[in-house]
Amino acid sequence: MPDTMQATARAVGADVALRVESLTIDIRTKSGVAHIVQDVSFTVAKGEFVGIVGESGSGKSMTLMNLLRLIDNPNLNVSGHVWFDGEDLLALPAKRLREIRGGKIAMIFQDAMTALTPVYTVGWHIAEQLRAHRALSRRAARERAIELLTEVGIPSPELRVDSFPHELSGGMRQRAVIAMALACDPKVLLADEPTTALDVTTQAQILDLIRRLRTVHGSAVVFVTHDIGVISDSADSILVMYAGRVVEQGRTVDVLAAPQHPYTQGLLGSIPTPGASRLTSQLVSIDGSAPTPSEQVVGCAFRPRCAYAFDKCFTVPALRPREGQADDHLDACWLQRQAQMDLRIEAGS
Amino acid sequence: MGRFILRRALSALVVLFTTSVIAFLLFFVTPGVDPAARIAGRSATPATLAAVRHSFGLDQPLPVQYVKMMQHLFITRDLTSFVNRGAKVVPQIIAATPITLSLVFGTAIISMVVAAAFGLVSAVHKGRFVDPFLMALAVLGISVPVFWLGEIANLLTQGGLHSSVFSWVPPLGYVPLTANIGLWALHLLFPWITMSVLYAGVYSRVLRGEMITTLGEQFIQAARAKGISERRLVWRHAFRCALVPVTALFGLDIGVLVGGAALLTEVVFGLPGVGYLTYQSLQTVDLPMIMGTVIYAAFFVVLMNAIVDIVHARLDPRVRHA
Amino acid sequence: MSGESAMTSVNASVRTPRVSGEELLRVQHLVKRFPVNHRIGSRRRELVAVDDVSFSVSRGETLGIVGESGCGKSTLARCVMGLERPSGGAIAIEGRDLTTASKKTMRSLRRDVQMVFQDPYDSLNPRRRVGDIVAEPMLVHGLADAAGARKEAARLFDVVGLNPRYLDRYPNEFSGGQRQRVGIARALAAKPKILVADEPVSALDVSVQAQVLNLLSALQREFDLTYIFVSHNIDVVRYMSDRIAVMYLGRIVEMASAADIYAAPQHPYTVSLLGAIPNNLVGNGAAAGKRRRRIVLRGDIPSPVDRPSACPFEPRCPVAQEICRVRDPEFRTLDDGRYIACHFPGSLDPFEA
């Protein structure tokens, strides 16, 4: 169940942890400029869990990475604003930004093996994180590292602190990375598919850990995933991205119960719900595949795959609320409500 | 560790034995090579030739000759040169070794520092002006033949300009480190530079490649997300990881160089190192000296191989358990 | 590329499967061990990937195999495919034993079982035209001459929802979903009786997964195929299968009808696996009025090299008792016909009180 207590606290000025405004990311390539992320805006309330859902090429990871300007590529052009504590992270001088990275906003990655420098121990990594923001002696940092490893549930932490990343299992590595991210009590935790590389039972452990730590540390979480199921019972609100744009966003309960955009509907219909059988229900399949960032689609990017596309779809629709839906439940689709209903009936049958 | 050393020592023995046997056999099957004829001189009669053969033991079966030679080389250590009967092989090599070591390790330090600077700056500023500029310099360094560069250096410093600009450059030759450290360095300065041009070129390209690969890894972004400085990111994370494969390669190169592959530089600059010795022994078809230098070279290659493995395991924990 | 739109033409109406009850494949006490690199002087070690696995599959049925990494599901699939030589046990297709077959019988048995691989990028030779890739099994097994194989390849392209005009293209000109269709067409080309699908949608984007799953369902009805469907995703396995075998550390720990596995799982591991899926989507699959308990197991899956001595699940099992540490539970049939390897089946409640 989404944490409704958190959800009600969203978007009110003082309670905002992070606000992204019209984030746009272009990359210059030999064949021209590719628009990876276009005009993405969202707000993360303090302590809120926001899920960003999208397939490969949707720009979800690029959005996350560029909140902290992590990608050092001269061909990348990032515009818009990322407001945190009254400052725009995209306009901040490098030194000030470094204080926020890891200190106020921390990040965890899909594959903890590739997120840790292979030649250093787990303890070294955590100590580096601590000492980047706190004046701590080596010894104190090591002790704190052991405490953190204990907190994330790593058995015999006083031994594991000296383990190298390759000596740990996938689940343990991800715990170690989470311990590192939490070292400086960040206000926001950015998570880039942190459970995708893990087994189902290990994924449950890590999700459980993230949820628990969120309660203890009160950090907001921005969780990027391709699997809407993974965040369906953790996220307070959801953004659905397609081809670099947000096509639908709102509180998780609203989006799951009444998806408005045909893509969201297709996405929900294309995964077998628990217990569903091919004998009793059919999966909604979306024809074709998502455009790559270099393929420019005129108008709505979903139009070529959309069964309900019509002439209006050659213009990009704006994100807006719909009559009869919650005010903070937005979608970018030209379809009228009636057509939407028909579509849903067909998809659900 | 003890196990490792034992295993390495055993395999080293096998390598040394095989190399020496092959070198020995190659010597005798090479057409036109007859050490006895060489020693006896052009106008020797068959009788003199036979006498020479006998006195050098060349009339005995090859396995016996081989064993005797090894005996003299390793046990009594009094193997003498065929060409210069007073010269003993082992002391000559021992005397030449510090010269070669001085040359190679000086070169190693200079070329590594230059390569690190070039490779790092190039990788970090990939795609900007400085990168292709440095890499063009590196290619130039690789392309210039060492002996040519050495001769040019000699012509400049020892020739017409020696009396004016380069009056501070000593004549060709070697002064031991223990005798006078200043003169030692001064004598080796141009050999070092000459050899470094090649190796700095090669390794700045290798290092640039490794740095670019490493900088593209996810853990670089992860480290950046921790809020550490870009300097720390480049040195402690990227450079440290890029160093692993580079060190392995470089260690092997050092082994080969110490083993005598620095001979071009040694010959050009008149440094009586092991390379020079090898060059001489080949010129005079001096079997005992050839055998000595070959085994010496193989020894250093094997030794550096073992050291590279140890260093590699120190640098990369993933290797330690494999 | 827009070649996928044709797939919607495959009739996808919902029907009951034609499970005949006639046994097509029987696997008995299958064991597959791999030697593990070991140092001189230390104890010789083995990785037991598949440990005494037995099951049978009827014609027209789909047997789903679900499990996490290291459970042996892929090795099992590869053994059935004949890609891996079993260390022990028997695999029989229509009564003919694959493990003792002559070269000639082996060839025809090979043809009977075809595979759809996980990664449509790695499993297609990038330097060959897709038409040739699909035609190859027909030529290898002598099912057609070159012209006939090409014609048949075009027909198969149509069947899997690809435009036959694309026969002369190369794999890199297709999207992931389309490549998986090529892989399916290649598998069908040999006219197999059994199709082994090893994680066929795991490498695909979510919206494309449904296309492939729908296609596989439609093909099964159309060609009366028997499937072995292997995946780590229990919802996908449930969707595709009539029966499900749950594997853990090389063993089948529970095997029952797909509906029973969901409605009344008996093995604590099955219960945990179902309870681990984070899902708040509609109709969460539990029996009416009950909520599935969320279960977070402790610890990691043990390494197949270093298996617990008795019940493999015991170290992580929430309801383990003393006997589980001592005696290995045997694989037995319960009254309701399901197979289970547990001393205390049904002791972990899958639903919230």
Side-chain angles (χ1 to χ4, degrees):
Chain A
M1 264 294 174
D3 200 332
T4 40
M5 184 194 74
Q6 303 282 3
T8 49
R10 55 197 306 269
V12 190
D15 292 326
V16 169
L18 190 73
R19 196 165 77 235
V20 178
E21 262 177 36
S22 334
L23 183 71
T24 297
I25 303 169
D26 295 333
I27 189 158
R28 274 195 307 275
T29 63
K30 282 184 193 114
S31 50
V33 176
H35 306 291
I36 303 173
V37 173
Q38 294 182 67
D39 198 21
V40 167
S41 303
F42 60 95
T43 305
V44 183
K46 282 182 180 158
E48 192 189 8
F49 190 122
V50 175
I52 302 182
V53 180
E55 298 178 277
S56 52
S58 64
K60 59 187 192 301
S61 290
M62 270 308 224
T63 301
L64 200 68
M65 292 291 227
N66 280 294
L67 298 184
L68 287 176
R69 283 164 39 197
L70 292 182
I71 297 173
D72 179 29
N73 181 346
N75 293 317
L76 206 65
N77 184 27
V78 184
S79 62
H81 308 280
V82 178
W83 296 106
F84 177 81
D85 257 356
E87 289 174 302
D88 183 1
L89 300 187
L90 295 186
L92 228 47
K95 192 167 176 297
R96 181 84 190 95
L97 182 64
R98 278 206 301 276
E99 288 168 21
I100 288 168
R101 287 174 179 164
K104 303 275 173 56
I105 303 178
M107 183 145 182
I108 57 181
F109 296 83
Q110 172 168 352
D111 185 352
M113 185 70 214
T114 59
L116 294 168
T117 309
V119 298
Y120 298 120
T121 62
V122 164
W124 188 96
H125 278 99
I126 300 177
E128 181 185 50
Q129 175 68 89
L130 283 163
R131 283 156 59 91
H133 300 283
R134 309 262 153 94
L136 276 180
S137 70
R138 258 169 225 287
R139 195 199 193 95
R142 187 187 157 85
E143 270 160 26
R144 180 79 188 112
I146 295 174
E147 280 170 31
L148 284 159
L149 290 176
T150 316
E151 191 185 348
V152 296
I154 289 186
S156 40
E158 55 294 323
L159 295 175
R160 284 302 172 201
V161 71
D162 294 321
S163 292
F164 287 97
H166 70 277
E167 295 171 322
L168 300 178
S169 70
M172 286 303 150
R173 266 200 299 271
Q174 196 59 283
R175 283 169 195 266
V177 170
I178 292 173
M180 184 170 89
L182 290 174
C184 300
D185 260 315
K187 297 274 170 289
V188 181
L189 182 65
L190 306 179
D192 187 10
E193 305 239 16
T195 62
T196 305
L198 303 174
D199 274 315
V200 183
T201 53
T202 315
Q203 167 174 288
Q205 294 172 342
I206 298 298
L207 286 173
D208 196 53
L209 176 67
I210 292 175
R211 261 195 299 242
R212 211 173 62 229
L213 294 173
R214 193 182 141 219
T215 328
V216 175
H217 294 254
S219 318
V221 177
V222 183
F223 194 111
V224 161
T225 178
H226 71 281
D227 182 355
I228 199 167
V230 166
I231 49 159
S232 61
D233 51 5
S234 312
D236 301 310
S237 59
I238 285 185
L239 277 88
V240 180
M241 286 186 73
Y242 186 80
R245 286 182 191 272
V246 175
V247 293
E248 182 157 359
Q249 71 183 75
R251 277 178 295 162
T252 309
V253 269
D254 297 337
V255 174
L256 292 184
Q260 297 298 310
H261 196 281
Y263 176 67
T264 316
Q265 292 164 354
L267 205 57
L268 284 166
S270 65
I271 42 176
T273 51
S277 163
R278 72 194 190 290
L279 306 176
T280 54
S281 70
Q282 228 227 307
L283 301 180
V284 180
S285 79
I286 309 174
D287 284 346
S289 44
T292 62
S294 55
E295 290 169 343
Q296 296 292 321
V297 178
V298 178
C300 169
F302 190 59
R303 180 182 49 80
R305 300 176 78 189
C306 184
Y308 300 90
F310 61 116
D311 52 358
K312 247 188 162 172
C313 303
F314 283 89
T315 321
V316 179
L319 265 177
R320 61 208 159 113
R322 223 167 248 280
E323 207 180 307
Q325 297 296 326
D327 290 346
D328 54 359
H329 185 180
L330 315 175
D331 70 280
C333 181
W334 290 117
L335 275 182
Q336 295 301 308
R337 253 180 73 73
Q338 191 49 48
Q340 290 262 332
M341 294 289 284
D342 297 345
L343 179 70
R344 229 176 16 258
I345 289 160
E346 222 164 296
S349 63
Chain B
M1 195 66 193
R3 221 196 181 103
F4 174 85
I5 291 172
L6 191 74
R7 215 169 51 217
R8 273 317 168 103
L10 280 176
S11 75
L13 279 181
V14 174
V15 171
L16 292 184
F17 173 72
T18 322
T19 323
S20 63
V21 169
I22 291 172
F24 188 76
L25 291 177
L26 273 180
F27 182 84
F28 283 99
V29 299
T30 310
V33 169
D34 181 356
R38 191 94 194 188
I39 299 159
R42 259 174 236 279
S43 54
T45 61
T48 339
L49 220 50
V52 168
R53 283 219 171 87
H54 184 72
S55 75
F56 283 87
L58 289 166
D59 52 350
Q60 286 171 317
L62 285 184
V64 176
Q65 285 190 46
Y66 175 81
V67 172
K68 282 205 161 155
M69 194 171 272
M70 290 301 121
Q71 221 170 23
H72 283 294
L73 188 57
F74 286 109
I75 299 174
T76 53
R77 302 219 217 131
D78 58 354
L79 185 66
T80 44
S81 158
F82 279 177
V83 180
N84 179 359
R85 297 255 43 191
K88 289 198 166 57
V89 172
V90 178
Q92 282 213 17
I93 292 181
I94 288 175
T97 304
I99 301 168
T100 301
L101 286 179
S102 305
L103 176 64
V104 172
F105 282 99
T107 303
I109 291 165
I110 295 174
S111 54
M112 248 308 136
V113 169
V114 175
F118 274 43
L120 227 69
V121 171
S122 263
V124 171
H125 300 283
K126 186 183 157 220
R128 305 202 187 119
F129 167 74
V130 63
D131 173 30
F133 174 74
L134 288 180
M135 284 306 110
L137 269 184
V139 171
L140 193 69
I142 299 166
S143 322
V144 172
V146 170
F147 57 87
W148 179 83
L149 191 63
E151 287 297 355
I152 296 292
N154 278 346
L155 277 176
L156 288 176
T157 59
Q158 308 292 336
L161 294 174
H162 186 62
S163 48
S164 52
V165 190
F166 291 113
S167 55
W168 52 276
V169 180
L172 297 185
Y174 177 76
V175 171
L177 175 71
T178 43
N180 184 328
I181 188 161
L183 278 177
W184 170 79
L186 212 53
H187 275 89
L188 284 167
L189 184 63
F190 283 96
W192 279 340
I193 292 172
T194 303
M195 223 155 79
S196 295
V197 167
L198 169 64
Y199 285 95
V202 170
Y203 280 94
S204 55
R205 288 188 68 86
V206 173
L207 200 68
R208 174 183 178 270
E210 290 296 338
M211 278 297 288
I212 286 173
T213 312
T214 314
L215 284 169
E217 301 269 3
Q218 174 115 70
F219 64 73
I220 295 298
Q221 286 163 8
R224 188 175 283 131
K226 291 163 91 174
I228 60 174
S229 66
E230 288 293 311
R231 172 190 292 268
R232 189 177 166 90
L233 192 72
V234 166
W235 283 103
R236 298 301 293 265
H237 291 265
F239 184 69
R240 173 66 177 73
C241 290
L243 208 57
V244 175
V246 175
T247 313
L249 220 59
F250 195 58
L252 296 182
D253 260 347
I254 291 180
V256 173
L257 283 178
V258 174
L263 70 91
L264 283 180
T265 316
E266 288 182 359
V267 170
V268 170
F269 288 100
L271 294 168
V274 184
Y276 194 83
L277 216 56
T278 313
Y279 170 78
Q280 268 187 332
S281 65
L282 284 169
Q283 286 240 302
T284 55
V285 204
D286 187 357
L287 180 62
M289 198 56 102
I290 291 177
M291 290 304 291
T293 49
V294 163
I295 290 175
Y296 163 92
F299 171 75
F300 268 100
V301 170
V302 170
L303 180 73
M304 278 316 288
N305 244 312
I307 292 176
V308 161
D309 281 357
I310 293 170
V311 172
H312 197 220
R314 297 278 342 151
L315 288 179
D316 190 346
R318 285 166 299 183
V319 180
R320 241 170 267 173
H321 305 268
Chain C
M1 302 241 345
S2 57
E4 283 171 32
S5 53
M7 74 79 51
T8 39
S9 67
V10 175
N11 180 7
S13 67
V14 171
R15 275 194 279 163
T16 45
R18 288 176 292 198
V19 182
S20 59
E22 175 200 342
E23 183 180 284
L24 181 61
L25 171 79
R26 172 178 284 262
V27 173
Q28 277 177 298
H29 303 292
L30 187 76
V31 177
K32 178 64 192 175
R33 299 185 209 99
F34 294 101
V36 178
N37 285 346
H38 64 283
R39 292 194 187 124
I40 304 156
S42 67
R43 198 163 51 88
R44 198 187 169 75
R45 306 216 305 169
E46 275 183 331
L47 185 156
V48 186
V50 176
D51 182 16
D52 194 12
V53 161
S54 303
F55 61 87
S56 65
V57 185
S58 305
R59 197 181 298 279
E61 185 190 27
T62 300
L63 175 71
I65 299 179
V66 69
E68 298 178 279
S69 58
C71 76
K73 56 188 190 298
S74 285
T75 310
L76 178 61
R78 290 174 64 82
C79 284
V80 172
M81 259 303 286
L83 292 175
E84 210 77 72
R85 222 186 152 66
S87 317
I91 301 170
I93 295 166
E94 291 175 326
R96 292 174 300 171
D97 192 343
L98 206 82
T99 47
T100 57
S102 67
K103 272 219 167 103
K104 201 169 152 240
T105 339
M106 191 68 197
R107 234 175 124 80
S108 96
L109 288 174
R110 277 252 167 86
R111 208 198 89 194
D112 286 343
V113 190
Q114 292 295 318
M115 196 154 182
V116 178
F117 295 90
Q118 169 172 3
D119 195 331
Y121 296 86
D122 287 351
S123 58
L124 301 178
N125 184 340
R127 276 175 288 279
R128 300 196 61 194
R129 296 172 196 279
V130 288
D132 296 337
I133 292 175
V134 174
E136 190 182 21
M138 297 182 251
L139 301 172
V140 168
H141 293 292
L143 298 172
D145 58 14
R150 174 143 182 114
K151 241 176 93 182
E152 178 64 6
R155 193 187 71 82
L156 286 169
F157 254 50
D158 196 40
V159 165
V160 300
L162 288 170
N163 193 326
R165 275 185 322 183
Y166 298 157
L167 278 176
D168 287 324
R169 298 197 174 181
Y170 289 93
N172 67 349
E173 297 175 69
F174 293 88
S175 70
Q178 289 173 320
R179 281 188 228 207
Q180 201 55 300
R181 287 168 195 267
V182 174
I184 293 169
R186 172 177 60 184
L188 292 177
K191 305 222 178 312
K193 295 182 173 127
I194 301 173
L195 205 61
V196 178
D198 186 7
E199 303 267 11
V201 297
S202 304
L204 304 177
D205 266 332
V206 179
S207 71
V208 180
Q209 287 183 11
Q211 296 171 9
V212 174
L213 294 178
N214 283 342
L215 174 65
L216 285 171
S217 309
L219 292 173
Q220 182 170 36
R221 286 192 299 272
E222 207 170 318
F223 298 103
D224 208 6
L225 287 165
T226 305
Y227 283 168
I228 295 179
F229 191 96
V230 180
S231 177
H232 70 282
N233 185 330
I234 196 165
D235 287 339
V236 170
V237 169
R238 161 69 183 110
Y239 182 77
M240 293 300 290
S241 311
D242 303 304
R243 272 191 311 142
I244 295 177
V246 181
M247 288 189 74
Y248 189 79
L249 270 188
R251 298 266 184 87
I252 293 181
V253 293
E254 182 166 8
M255 182 161 62
S257 78
D260 280 351
I261 289 278
Y262 260 76
Q266 298 287 308
H267 195 287
Y269 178 63
T270 315
V271 174
S272 312
L273 203 57
L274 286 163
I277 311 168
N279 212 323
N280 199 30
L281 308 180
V282 268
N284 68 353
K290 292 190 206 162
R291 263 187 78 80
R292 203 172 281 287
R293 222 161 90 179
R294 196 154 165 71
I295 295 164
V296 177
L297 289 176
R298 55 175 180 253
D300 285 332
I301 306 166
S303 149
V305 182
D306 218 354
R307 291 153 45 106
S309 53
C311 173
F313 188 56
E314 177 271 323
R316 303 178 74 198
C317 183
V319 292
Q321 297 188 27
E322 190 52 40
I323 188 172
C324 307
R325 223 185 326 275
V326 185
R327 220 180 68 207
D328 204 353
E330 55 195 67
F331 192 53
R332 62 199 164 105
T333 323
L334 292 185
D335 293 339
D336 59 354
R338 77 172 76 200
Y339 292 87
I340 197 157
C342 179
H343 290 300
F344 306 102
S347 57
L348 184 60
D349 192 347
F351 303 111
E352 278 175 5

